Amino acid sequence: MFTSSSTMRGKMPKIDECRMKSAEWSGAAGLWAVLGAATLTLVAWTPAFPQQDVTIPVWTGVSAYEMALPELRVSAGDATLYEAAKTIHTTLWDDLAFSGYFNLIPAEHYKFIPALDEKKIKFKDWASLQADYLVVGATTRAGDRLTFTASLHDVKTQSYVLGKSYGGEMKVARQIGHQFANEILKRVIGLDKNLFTSKIAFISTRDGNRELYVMDYDGNSQTRITFNTVPDMLPAWSPDGRKILFTSYRNNNPDLFSYAIYEGVLAPISTKGLNTSAAFSPDGTKIAFSSSRDGNSEIYIANPDGTGLRRITSTPAIDTAPSWAPNGRLLAFTSDRGGPPQIYIMDAEGTEARRLMPQSGSYNDSAAWSPDGEYVLYVSREGGEFNIVKVGLTKQTSLRLTAGQGMNENPSWSPDGMHIIFASNRSGSYQVYCMDPSGGNVRQLTTQGNNHTPRWSR
Amino acid sequence: MNRRLFAVLLVFALVVVLLPGCKGKPKEAPVAPPETGVTEHPSTTPMVESPTIKPITETPVSELPDDLDQINRSGLLKKVYFDFDRADLRADAIETLNANAAVLKKHSTLRIRIEGHCDERGTEEYNISLGDRRAKAAYNYLVNLGVGAGRMETVSYGKSQPEDPSHNEDAWSRNRRDVFLVVAK
């Protein structure tokens, strides 16, 4: 694995595409072939699509592209607009740096390059910094309305790649930055996942008891959703990011609810016995959850509104914590049918259950299937710790991602599979952290109270 | 035609065809870059909105009336405790349950809720099911002793409601418990 150093100037090592199948989406080869063919036949009007050295880094720590992101142009003397421009710039910078696909060239290397006009870019100046890409942006305003216009340029070919314009109130500056960063990822990497506008649902005790919260993927805008005196637990997103399934004791029983976060509509889904650990299928047409409604904890499948309920496990054991494979045909789950809790895989009909292999440890739970289908994370109890373990399904690999830092629980993948969030008490209290899929680049997203069971939207 | 030139051309053509032989590599489109400085911004500027996440409009959670609260605080029904990762009833738990059953038979109108709890050394998902199993272990035992099933309900709190929030053996052993709450007289 290559490593990168932030102080190193110049070209980062790139990884041969042939050697990076593991980071590809399943079926990507076929998709690329189709795209390639389409590009060839539609050459007449296809816009420039800089593919000359597309490499997708294997996990993070590898910066594939050098990016120059000079400050945005602002009409002089407008402090409010200047602040908004700074917010957009910082958001873009942080997003692109976080993604792992870009290495941001430190600003001091180009502060002497004169203010930018996108019609008169001196590409030679930027090429001398060994930049692959350059973003040129400007903000203007009319009244309270902010307009951000930006373009992305390929420095090597001296060509325009993409141009966008966004408008809105001053307060949406951060949102604008995230949206343009999404566009850059879409065009340069081919990643259509809206990573930077994704959200994280989690449970926090900062206001007294376990309440449901939502925050931006980077820890910003932490928003409380429930206001009650009873526990709220184990949230799960719908694939469109508009609904959250969670368990709540608001009727003195652990019932499963669905909440439409923008409409403000709360609906009961399953209210008999224990109802917990819910998960939407990748296409959003089904939900899986654990319920003791028929006696002991079993896994059920239902429509998202709770109708069409079907039990798919039938053992005297505890069966819980279902996690869908991205193809929607398999589920990883926890069962103590063999003694202590272990991770099993079954098909979505509940048949063909077999123990996940390889799997070590005598107490495992909280499986999370990666978006590319290749990896399953689980939490393993090791002495007085919980650690997160990553299993590679094709090559039967097993890698422990945390060690020696207390309890590390409830891993959840980013939409692009390049990051993992989890809850850890390594600082003394439980906080939400983000790391890359090899366990590096750990950063803390929450600070107040205790925070549990984070789930990243798709 | 010069055969040698033809051969060279043939090899060259093959190389061109086979070069992007790395499977799955996107084909490079031979598109000339647009003239430097030419940009194509969309003619309309989309309005960006930051949709507001609404908090849930809560209704108060029903709480037990004061008189029942007092009964529960008096310790009329005793708690039972479990071994680490276990939901089977220990000898001391059976003794306690026998006493609780006698109280419930004497006060035959009492209705109870059996709460199952766990210590912090398990995962969220598994623990909440383990708490469910602990509550049901007591429930089934009481039913076998002749306490009416209709007078009892079970609920698991997993590890969310420790009696003692400390992180030591003593606290853990007291947190692995069933609590018997009188919910109606």
Side-chain angles (χ1 to χ4, degrees):
Chain A
M1 177 75 78
F2 292 112
T3 54
S4 72
S5 152
S6 58
T7 54
M8 185 175 152
R9 218 46 311 291
K11 206 75 206 150
M12 286 293 162
K14 295 195 174 171
I15 291 175
D16 180 3
E17 262 189 276
C18 293
R19 292 196 282 115
M20 38 138 295
K21 287 229 171 61
S22 65
E24 287 181 7
W25 306 97
S26 42
L31 179 66
W32 280 123
V34 171
L35 276 179
T39 314
L40 284 177
T41 47
L42 301 174
V43 132
W45 58 270
T46 306
F49 196 80
Q51 291 282 20
Q52 57 277 11
D53 56 1
V54 164
T55 56
I56 300 175
V58 175
W59 309 127
T60 46
V62 179
S63 299
Y65 296 114
E66 298 289 309
M67 167 71 81
L69 180 56
E71 282 182 21
L72 310 179
R73 276 181 297 136
V74 186
S75 30
D78 188 337
T80 313
L81 187 59
Y82 180 77
E83 276 310 308
K86 214 163 84 176
T87 302
I88 294 173
H89 184 264
T90 307
T91 305
L92 261 175
W93 185 287
D94 291 347
D95 284 354
L96 295 174
F98 172 83
S99 75
Y101 296 108
F102 296 96
N103 185 41
L104 277 293
I105 300 173
E108 66 260 28
H109 291 291
Y110 47 79
K111 65 182 171 197
F112 299 109
I113 297 180
L116 281 166
D117 178 342
E118 66 178 4
K119 297 204 166 36
K120 296 176 209 149
I121 296 170
K122 293 200 168 74
F123 280 106
K124 288 217 170 92
D125 291 350
W126 301 101
S128 73
L129 294 173
Q130 294 181 289
D132 294 310
Y133 289 99
L134 166 70
V135 169
V136 180
T139 48
T140 56
R141 81 151 156 174
D144 283 340
R145 194 167 182 274
L146 162 77
T147 301
F148 168 64
T149 306
S151 50
L152 176 70
H153 303 266
D154 185 322
V155 175
K156 297 268 152 49
T157 60
Q158 306 201 354
S159 60
Y160 164 90
V161 178
L162 132 89
K164 282 280 171 185
S165 179
Y166 303 90
E169 293 172 60
M170 289 290 167
K171 65 176 186 190
V172 302
R174 180 174 291 282
Q175 193 71 12
I176 286 175
H178 286 318
Q179 289 198 10
F180 188 56
N182 279 342
E183 286 301 322
I184 292 175
L185 228 59
K186 203 174 293 181
R187 186 62 68 87
V188 176
I189 310 297
L191 186 71
D192 196 4
K193 287 283 173 183
N194 294 327
L195 175 65
F196 306 118
T197 43
S198 62
K199 294 196 183 296
I200 295 168
F202 62 105
I203 299 299
S204 181
T205 62
R206 66 188 64 175
D207 296 305
N209 74 320
R210 291 178 176 229
E211 305 279 12
L212 174 61
Y213 281 74
V214 167
M215 62 183 171
D216 291 350
Y217 93 95
D218 56 6
N220 268 291
S221 310
Q222 304 198 5
T223 306
R224 183 174 169 188
I225 292 187
T226 57
F227 290 79
N228 57 42
T229 53
V230 295
D232 298 284
M233 290 180 174
L234 292 162
W237 289 98
S238 61
D240 65 3
R242 299 189 65 85
K243 280 184 181 156
I244 295 174
L245 293 170
F246 68 108
T247 299
S248 176
Y249 290 73
R250 58 192 57 236
N251 295 325
N252 289 313
N253 187 66
D255 297 331
L256 186 64
F257 290 89
S258 171
Y259 185 60
I261 60 172
Y262 299 114
E263 290 79 15
V265 179
L266 181 71
I269 301 299
S270 179
T271 57
K272 193 179 162 209
L274 168 67
N275 304 279
T276 181
S277 309
F280 265 93
S281 67
D283 65 1
T285 60
K286 295 283 173 205
I287 60 172
F289 62 99
S290 177
S291 175
S292 69
R293 57 187 301 129
D294 295 325
N296 77 316
S297 296
E298 305 278 8
I299 292 172
Y300 292 76
I301 304 267
N303 298 322
D305 63 359
T307 61
L309 188 70
R310 213 154 44 85
R311 187 166 110 194
I312 63 163
T313 59
S314 195
T315 66
I318 288 172
D319 294 307
T320 186
S323 172
W324 297 82
N327 65 14
R329 293 200 293 268
L330 298 171
L331 289 164
F333 66 106
T334 303
S335 179
D336 64 2
R337 59 188 64 186
Q342 295 281 296
I343 308 300
Y344 290 78
I345 290 174
M346 63 181 167
D347 65 38
E349 301 301 310
T351 53
E352 304 284 332
R354 66 271 188 193
R355 197 168 156 267
L356 170 72
M357 290 297 283
Q359 185 175 181
S360 56
S362 59
Y363 184 111
N364 302 331
D365 193 7
S366 312
W369 214 311
S370 68
D372 67 359
E374 175 56 25
Y375 296 97
V376 173
L377 302 173
Y378 66 85
V379 169
S380 186
R381 189 165 67 200
E382 299 173 330
E385 295 179 7
F386 290 136
N387 284 312
I388 296 169
V389 179
K390 183 176 76 174
V391 171
L393 299 175
T394 308
K395 291 186 179 160
Q396 303 266 295
T397 57
S398 180
L399 178 66
R400 192 206 275 117
L401 303 183
T402 59
Q405 294 199 282
M407 311 289 202
N408 301 277
E409 303 178 54
N410 297 97
S412 173
W413 294 89
S414 64
D416 65 345
M418 293 287 287
H419 311 277
I420 295 164
I421 47 168
F422 60 102
S424 174
N425 71 348
R426 58 185 61 190
S427 67
S429 57
Y430 274 95
Q431 302 298 337
V432 177
Y433 293 82
C434 184
M435 64 181 170
D436 69 31
S438 56
N441 286 327
V442 178
R443 54 181 218 164
Q444 189 174 338
L445 299 180
T446 59
T447 54
Q448 297 173 272
N450 284 295
N451 302 276
H452 304 276
T453 60
R455 279 285 188 99
W456 209 320
S457 69
R458 283 281 76 92
Chain B
M1 189 167 181
N2 185 331
R3 277 183 63 184
R4 207 182 144 116
L5 177 62
F6 180 76
V8 168
L9 280 174
L10 185 67
V11 168
F12 181 69
L14 274 175
V15 165
V16 168
V17 170
L18 296 177
L19 206 62
C22 175
K23 229 177 21 186
K25 177 162 182 164
K27 296 212 169 42
E28 192 182 326
V31 178
E35 197 187 321
T36 303
V38 173
T39 58
E40 296 150 16
H41 292 294
S43 51
T44 54
T45 299
M47 280 295 283
V48 173
E49 280 170 20
S50 204
T52 311
I53 295 173
K54 292 185 179 153
I56 289 179
T57 312
E58 302 278 6
T59 49
V61 174
S62 61
E63 284 181 20
L64 290 178
D66 287 349
D67 55 338
L68 291 182
D69 214 30
Q70 218 155 27
I71 292 176
N72 288 321
R73 248 177 275 170
S74 73
L76 181 68
L77 297 167
K78 303 275 185 280
K79 296 167 193 168
V80 300
Y81 299 94
F82 294 86
D83 284 339
F84 181 45
D85 275 349
R86 309 289 309 188
D88 45 343
L89 300 169
R90 303 192 311 218
D92 61 319
I94 283 173
E95 221 170 282
T96 307
L97 286 174
N98 289 340
N100 284 350
V103 172
L104 290 169
K105 282 178 181 170
K106 188 174 162 200
H107 306 279
S108 60
T109 57
L110 292 185
R111 294 172 57 86
I112 63 164
R113 182 184 301 150
I114 308 172
E115 295 179 351
H117 296 269
C118 303
D119 72 28
E120 62 179 353
R121 292 174 301 162
T123 48
E124 294 277 344
E125 299 95 318
Y126 186 73
N127 257 356
I128 200 161
S129 287
L130 182 62
D132 185 66
R133 198 184 252 172
R134 283 177 177 162
K136 281 183 174 132
Y139 172 94
N140 289 333
Y141 187 79
L142 291 174
V143 168
N144 282 338
L145 287 184
V147 180
R151 297 171 60 192
M152 300 183 289
E153 61 190 43
T154 59
V155 61
S156 169
Y157 283 93
K159 60 175 174 177
S160 71
Q161 318 272 285
E163 193 169 282
D164 181 342
S166 319
H167 313 287
N168 55 54
E169 196 58 60
D170 187 46
W172 294 328
S173 66
R174 275 185 291 126
N175 290 336
R176 298 187 298 263
R177 69 201 191 278
D178 277 348
V179 177
F180 301 84
L181 214 59
V182 176
V183 293
K185 278 204 285 189

